Amino acid sequence: MIAERLARVRLRVAVAAQEAGRDPRDVRLLLATKTQPADLVREALAADARARADDPAATALLVGENRVQELVAKGPELAGFADVHLIGPLQSNKVNAALRWASCIESLASLDLAQRLSARTTGPLDVYVQVNVSGEPTKHGVAPEQAVELATAVAALPRLRVAGLMTVGARSADPAVVRSGYALLRGLRDELVASGTRTATELSMGMSGDLELAVAEGATLVRVGSAVFGPRPT
Ligand SMILES: *Cc1c(COP(=O)(O)O)cnc(C)c1O
């Protein structure tokens, strides 16, 4: 079941990349594992490893956790099996726990948190600046107008490396609206690289429902949960 669903997602990414004239291997896949038990996550990682045995150039699955509590609970069981990213908001009192189990923080949205991470990590630590491209009030992330300034300031801190920008796309049934948010993130990334933050090449965007739109706009990392694990209980 999981192997089949993973294969289907890989295929969707590959088709979308080809249609955009991109190399599918430039788009990594991150498994968003919120609420999923560690043994199921490991099953997915094992299925993916078997599938990649036929395609040695394919990149390994990443894992993304939303909550530090889950990151800590599953961390010991996933250590050595996958790189785990934190993809949900991080409170400053949980920095040490996050650093213990995550190799990358994708949800950085304040200079204060960046300074705390910089002070506590042994580094180098990869971070993404999360941008709220849709302006929806429930969404985490800095406003698009502040993204380049924040990312530039973060890049100047010791031990942190800005890998790129991350966003959660607009909650809209209109693909043009969703896509324009992804285009906005791409433009910000281009601006950031051009202004001197040369490590910030990555774009973490696109989920189960809209990954094709994100890949068309240049996503280098898509984060997929329900397309692999099935719908989450509500
Ligand atoms: C849950 C989640 C995803 C994956 O969402 P699906 O729609 O299940 O693919 C991606 N990114 C973040 C930040 C998430 O919380």
Side-chain angles (χ1 to χ4, degrees), residues 70-106:
E70 274 192 72
L71 179 71
V72 169
K74 291 180 233 173
E77 291 181 78
L78 299 178
F81 291 91
D83 264 354
V84 183
H85 291 189
L86 183 70
I87 60 172
L90 174 59
Q91 284 162 346
S92 53
N93 62 340
K94 296 192 173 148
V95 161
N96 287 344
L99 286 173
R100 173 90 172 78
W101 298 110
S103 64
C104 174
I105 309 295
E106 291 202 22

Side-chain angles (χ1 to χ4, degrees), residues 2 5 31-46 63-66 69-79 81-82 84 225 228-233:
I2 283 197
R5 284 173 162 161
L31 211 48
T33 52
K34 55 177 170 277
T35 77
Q36 304 298 341
D39 54 350
L40 200 61
V41 179
R42 277 174 62 166
E43 188 185 324
L45 293 169
V63 165
E65 285 291 350
N66 285 73
Q69 203 180 326
E70 274 192 72
L71 179 71
V72 169
K74 291 180 233 173
E77 291 181 78
L78 299 178
F81 291 91
V84 183
V228 173
F229 294 116
R232 275 180 295 277

Side-chain angles (χ1 to χ4, degrees), residues 32 34 66 87-88 166 168 206-209 223-227 232:
K34 55 177 170 277
N66 285 73
I87 60 172
M166 181 272 225
V168 176
M207 315 203 304
S208 294
R223 308 179 310 268
V224 169
S226 53
R232 275 180 295 277

Side-chain angles (χ1 to χ4, degrees), residues 61-150:
L61 267 187
L62 298 164
V63 165
E65 285 291 350
N66 285 73
R67 301 176 58 216
V68 173
Q69 203 180 326
E70 274 192 72
L71 179 71
V72 169
K74 291 180 233 173
E77 291 181 78
L78 299 178
F81 291 91
D83 264 354
V84 183
H85 291 189
L86 183 70
I87 60 172
L90 174 59
Q91 284 162 346
S92 53
N93 62 340
K94 296 192 173 148
V95 161
N96 287 344
L99 286 173
R100 173 90 172 78
W101 298 110
S103 64
C104 174
I105 309 295
E106 291 202 22
S107 50
L108 192 61
S110 80
L111 189 57
D112 179 64
L113 179 62
Q115 284 164 337
R116 283 170 202 265
L117 288 165
S118 173
R120 309 233 185 120
T121 183
T122 52
L125 175 71
D126 273 5
V127 296
Y128 289 64
V129 168
Q130 183 170 353
V131 184
N132 183 353
V133 294
S134 66
E136 290 163 31
T138 55
K139 285 213 163 91
H140 184 66
V142 285
E145 312 79 69
Q146 288 156 11
V148 171
E149 189 186 336
L150 175 60

